[in-house]
Amino acid sequence: MNALTVTGKGFRNKDRAIFVYDLQIYVHSFIKMDDSYLRSKDSLDIPYVTFPDLLRKWAEKNPNKTAFIFVDVGDERYELSFGEWYDKATKFAKSLIGNGVHKCDVFALNGRNLPEWLISCFGIQLAGGSPLCLPYLQKKNDFVKVCSKLGRVKMLIIDPGSDGQNCQFLKEMICTDFGTNNVELPEIPDLRQVFLFNHHASLPSVNTVAELCSRECDVDLPRLDPEDLGLILLTSGTTNTPKAVPY
């Protein structure tokens, strides 16, 4: 299922209650099922809604309301509204499709708690893909093992890091034509492109999330169904290689 968790500070109590009620309806429908939503023999009186649909609903209802507040290491404050979040995620999704991705593709997503992470995650879901959520400063061997076993990992969207830590990771791990963003990594044959959260001086030609969000692509987004895979998380890996857990 496509997942949405909102913990921002911009809700009034009434707004928070309504949004939580939306989520409770969804969870209640899920609990009632014996098999799956589409194949359940039970007659459900509540229509299904994907979490990107919930985000669109709140973007239309309260476009200027703050969804998340980010504070960086320099105490600079950035507020992400529902409207901006949904608009950028939609443009990001259409740019992904314009770059040749398809429904059910997997996207490795690696980064800190930044606006680019949220926009990328929901953009991937709107494009019909599944974000593979990797820990920040992912170990190289674990990255290769997880992606090679999972398959269908078509794109890496990565936070360069405050000091460019992940840029070195990219240079060491992947034979990349940084002029085109094309990737060649024999251990992960499906991996084709890499994008950064934001620009970094050590990789000046690599495209970024912001650039994808600024493009106007005339493409249709795919239909999302309740049984589509929406998110892939990893176990801690404390005893062995982290395992991918789909949701």
Side-chain angles (χ1 to χ4, degrees), residues 156-200:
L156 171 61
I157 303 168
I158 188 169
D159 177 2
S162 57
D163 297 318
Q165 302 95 322
N166 276 337
C167 293
Q168 188 60 35
F169 165 80
L170 284 176
K171 291 178 178 179
E172 293 177 358
M173 282 284 298
I174 302 171
C175 298
T176 306
D177 179 350
F178 291 117
T180 63
N181 287 357
N182 291 334
V183 171
E184 182 179 347
L185 183 60
E187 296 91 338
I188 312 175
D190 288 330
L191 188 62
R192 289 289 179 265
Q193 289 185 303
V194 58
F195 291 91
L196 296 177
F197 276 20
N198 43 61
H199 279 295
H200 194 274

Side-chain angles (χ1 to χ4, degrees), residues 96-163:
L96 292 180
I97 294 173
N99 272 275
V101 304
H102 301 91
K103 189 174 181 179
C104 299
D105 283 347
V106 177
F107 301 77
L109 181 58
N110 179 309
R112 296 166 291 169
N113 295 328
L114 297 171
E116 291 81 7
W117 194 98
L118 277 173
I119 292 166
S120 298
C121 185
F122 277 81
I124 291 167
Q125 292 179 335
L126 283 163
S130 302
L132 168 62
C133 301
L134 302 172
Y136 180 54
L137 300 180
Q138 170 77 51
K139 295 179 180 179
K140 300 172 188 176
N141 289 339
D142 288 345
F143 173 77
V144 170
K145 289 179 181 178
V146 169
C147 291
S148 60
K149 288 183 178 179
L150 191 61
R152 308 195 323 275
V153 180
K154 299 297 181 66
M155 186 179 293
L156 171 61
I157 303 168
I158 188 169
D159 177 2
S162 57
D163 297 318

Side-chain angles (χ1 to χ4, degrees), residues 16-57:
R16 188 186 301 275
I18 293 173
F19 190 81
V20 170
Y21 178 71
D22 284 341
L23 294 179
Q24 288 175 338
I25 288 177
Y26 178 82
V27 173
H28 175 68
S29 299
F30 181 77
I31 292 174
K32 288 178 63 177
M33 296 184 292
D34 293 329
D35 184 10
S36 66
Y37 202 110
L38 295 181
R39 295 178 177 82
S40 174
K41 297 179 181 178
D42 295 332
S43 177
L44 302 179
D45 57 357
I46 302 173
Y48 77 81
V49 58
T50 64
F51 284 113
D53 285 338
L54 283 180
L55 176 57
R56 183 180 69 247
K57 170 185 173 182

Side-chain angles (χ1 to χ4, degrees), residues 11 28 51 55 64 68-69 91 109-110 135 137 141 147 152 158 202-203 205 213 223 234:
F11 290 106
H28 175 68
F51 284 113
L55 176 57
N64 298 319
F68 283 88
I69 298 173
K91 290 181 178 178
L109 181 58
N110 179 309
L137 300 180
N141 289 339
C147 291
R152 308 195 323 275
I158 188 169
S202 64
L203 296 173
S205 61
C213 291
R223 169 190 168 125
L234 296 183

